[in-house]
Amino acid sequence: EDLMSKAQSRGCVVPRQLAMYFCRHQLKMPFIKIGEVFARDHSTVMSSIKQIQKAIDGEKGDVIAPWKAIAKKLGSVVA
């Protein structure tokens, strides 16, 4: 429910962005479709995915730990 809401608190934003990231990278969904699922514009989706990728590349702790945990559960290869 919180992932789909318009909430902009960090507790909702980062999990939503991670969900968008995994929709794109694991399910290969187009930006427009992800936007439809999360009731967001495709440019918001693109920005969210870019922010998560930047956090992963920078090994930002508040993103990298949940990203690795989710990727492990999904059976993804985590570098």
Side-chain angles (χ1 to χ4, degrees), residues 18 55-56 59-72 78:
L18 279 166
I56 291 168
E59 296 189 24
K60 197 171 172 191
D62 62 333
V63 173
I64 200 85
W67 172 72
K68 283 184 177 183
I70 294 167
K72 185 177 178 182
V78 178

Side-chain angles (χ1 to χ4, degrees), residues 22-75:
F22 281 108
C23 284
R24 178 68 177 172
H25 290 277
Q26 295 296 313
L27 302 176
K28 310 294 186 210
M29 290 174 67
F31 295 117
I32 293 174
K33 185 64 177 171
I34 297 169
E36 290 172 4
V37 170
F38 289 93
R40 300 292 191 278
D41 187 76
H42 76 282
S43 61
T44 302
V45 174
M46 292 171 68
S47 175
S48 294
I49 292 169
K50 184 185 274 187
Q51 285 181 315
I52 293 297
Q53 188 62 58
K54 189 175 177 180
I56 291 168
D57 293 344
E59 296 189 24
K60 197 171 172 191
D62 62 333
V63 173
I64 200 85
W67 172 72
K68 283 184 177 183
I70 294 167
K72 185 177 178 182
K73 285 187 182 249
L74 293 175

